[in-house]
Amino acid sequence: RKAPGDGDANDTSSVVDLFGLAENRRVLLVGEGNLSFAASISKLTNKFILIASTYETEEQHCERFQGSQARTEELRKAGFQVLFGVDATDLASTLPQEVRERPFDRIIFQFPQHKERNKIHLNRELLCTFLREAKALLAPAGEVVVSLVQGQGGTPAEPGPARRPKDTWQAEEMGLEAGLLLTRVVPCPHLELEQLGYESTGFRGQGLRGSTKEVYQERSFNSNGSLTHCYAAPGDGTSAAFPTERKHDISFWISPDFTEELLLRCFSSTAGRLNGLQPEAFRHQQHQMHYSGCVEAPLQRPARTPHAGSFSGAEKI
C-alpha cells in the first residue's frame, strides 16, 4: 500500500485509513481553521461520527474565515457536529460534557500553531498540552493525529538535513511528555485533501508592531513536504516509530578499588535496565572513563543525571 501523499491524488483509501474514517468510528477535529479539512473528509464517507471544533466562537469564526457559515451548514446538514469555542489545550473544560462521555478513535489537529508562532518553545508547549488533553479522551486502540509543516517535527522521517533539536517542535519528545508513543510518521496527504476542497490556510497577524499588530487575516501556507504524526497510548503491541535516544556526558573520580561491575550496577540502579552499555575508551590519566550505550528507561521523562561522584539510590563509587 502506498503511503499517504504518494502517487495518485485521487486515491483516497489511504486518507480514510490514516484519519480513521471507518464505520461508527468517533473522530474529533480540534483547531479547525476555515473548516475545509472537516468538509473535505466528510465527502469521503458518512459512516463515521465526526465532531469538528474551532477555537473561535461562532461569531468570531464567521468574521475571520470566508465561507464559515456555508461550511458549517453543509457539515450539519450531512449529520456532522460543529462546535465553537473549543480550546485544544483545555478540552476537559471547553468540550461539552456530553461529547466527552464517549472516547474517540481519532483526535486530529491539522497544523497547530501558537499565535506567537516564532517562539518555538510555545509551539512545543502547545503540542505537548494538546497531546496530554487528547490522551484522556482516547479510546483504548485510538490514535492522536497531528500534521506539521516540513521540518517542525524533528524526527528521522524529516527529508533533507536534520535540524538541531532546539530548532524543532520535538514531536517525539512532546509525545513522551504527554504519555504517548509516536508510532508512525507518514507524508501528509495534502494533495488528496486538496482534491476534496481542502485549503491549507491559517489566521495570522499582518504585522509585528504599531497599527498592524492586532490586525489578522486568513493566509495560506506551504504544506509541501508536511508530515502526519500518529500517537498512541503505550501497551501490548504498541511500539515507537523510532528508538528514543538520550545522551549524557558523565565524568567522575574513581578509587583504586574501582571495578566496571560496580559502575554498571550503579547505572542500572539509577537509570533502569541497561542495554549494550560498553566502555568507549579507558583513559587512566586523571582516572577518567567514558561509556556509551543505551539505557532502557521508563516512558516518563528520566530524572536528571546525578552529579559526578555520586548516584542517587545507588552505591557510591
Side-chain angles (χ1 to χ4, degrees):
R1 175 179 294 173
K2 294 179 181 179
D6 294 342
D8 186 0
N10 294 315
D11 180 11
T12 57
S13 60
S14 59
V15 180
V16 172
D17 292 342
L18 176 62
F19 296 120
L21 311 182
E23 186 173 0
N24 295 325
R25 294 290 183 89
R26 281 171 56 84
V27 178
L28 172 66
L29 309 184
V30 302
E32 276 290 274
N34 55 15
L35 289 173
S36 66
F37 176 67
S40 65
I41 64 172
S42 71
K43 296 174 182 178
L44 295 172
T45 173
N46 61 358
K47 295 181 179 180
F48 68 103
I49 302 167
L50 175 65
I51 301 174
S53 68
T54 75
Y55 177 74
E56 297 84 4
T57 65
E58 187 165 5
E59 181 180 358
Q60 290 171 333
H61 200 270
C62 288
E63 291 175 355
R64 293 180 177 181
F65 294 101
Q66 294 183 1
S68 168
Q69 186 173 356
R71 285 197 177 110
T72 300
E73 292 175 355
E74 178 185 352
L75 287 165
R76 287 173 172 168
K77 186 177 180 181
F80 300 117
Q81 281 186 266
V82 180
L83 303 176
F84 296 93
V86 176
D87 185 348
T89 65
D90 190 14
L91 296 175
S93 298
T94 59
L95 199 63
Q97 182 178 354
E98 63 271 18
V99 175
R100 290 185 279 112
E101 287 178 350
R102 291 179 56 198
F104 292 94
D105 299 288
R106 288 291 193 285
I107 301 178
I108 304 170
F109 200 163
Q110 285 290 95
F111 302 107
Q113 186 78 63
H114 193 275
K115 63 180 180 180
E116 297 187 61
R117 62 185 185 278
N118 293 323
K119 295 184 178 180
I120 199 164
H121 69 285
L122 294 180
N123 285 305
R124 288 194 205 111
E125 182 180 320
L126 167 65
L127 177 59
C128 184
T129 307
F130 159 66
L131 291 174
R132 188 177 291 115
E133 288 286 308
K135 181 189 176 187
L137 301 175
L138 205 59
E143 286 187 318
V144 182
V145 180
V146 182
S147 294
L148 298 175
V149 171
Q150 181 177 339
Q152 287 180 338
T155 70
E158 295 286 351
R163 293 186 184 183
R164 296 177 298 177
K166 69 175 185 177
D167 295 330
T168 75
W169 290 25
Q170 301 176 8
E172 183 179 19
E173 285 286 338
M174 294 305 100
L176 293 174
E177 288 274 4
L180 294 170
L181 289 177
L182 180 62
T183 58
R184 54 183 171 141
V185 181
V186 299
C188 178
H190 64 96
L191 293 178
E192 294 92 328
L193 292 170
E194 287 170 7
Q195 290 286 325
L196 296 167
Y198 174 60
E199 301 170 0
S200 54
T201 64
F203 200 69
R204 300 182 178 181
Q206 285 186 325
L208 299 176
R209 61 173 70 89
S211 61
T212 61
K213 185 176 181 180
E214 299 299 330
V215 179
Y216 293 88
Q217 63 180 353
E218 187 177 0
R219 295 171 59 185
S220 61
F221 59 89
N222 184 8
S223 57
N224 291 334
S226 55
L227 296 174
T228 299
H229 304 71
C230 301
Y231 299 86
D236 293 340
T238 303
S239 58
F242 313 104
T244 302
E245 298 181 359
R246 296 183 177 91
K247 296 181 180 179
H248 301 277
D249 293 325
I250 307 173
S251 62
F252 48 86
W253 294 98
I254 61 175
S255 62
D257 58 349
F258 167 83
T259 64
E260 182 180 335
E261 180 183 357
L262 176 58
L263 176 63
L264 296 179
R265 189 160 66 245
C266 290
F267 278 147
S268 180
S269 176
T270 303
R273 187 163 63 89
L274 303 177
N275 180 21
L277 188 69
Q278 298 294 331
E280 183 177 277
F282 289 90
R283 299 200 309 175
H284 293 291
Q285 294 180 358
Q286 298 182 343
H287 303 288
Q288 292 183 345
M289 182 178 294
H290 291 260
Y291 275 76
S292 66
C294 175
V295 176
E296 293 188 2
L299 178 64
Q300 289 79 13
R301 193 176 185 88
R304 290 183 178 274
T305 303
H307 292 294
S310 67
F311 292 84
S312 175
E315 300 174 71
K316 289 187 177 181
I317 296 177

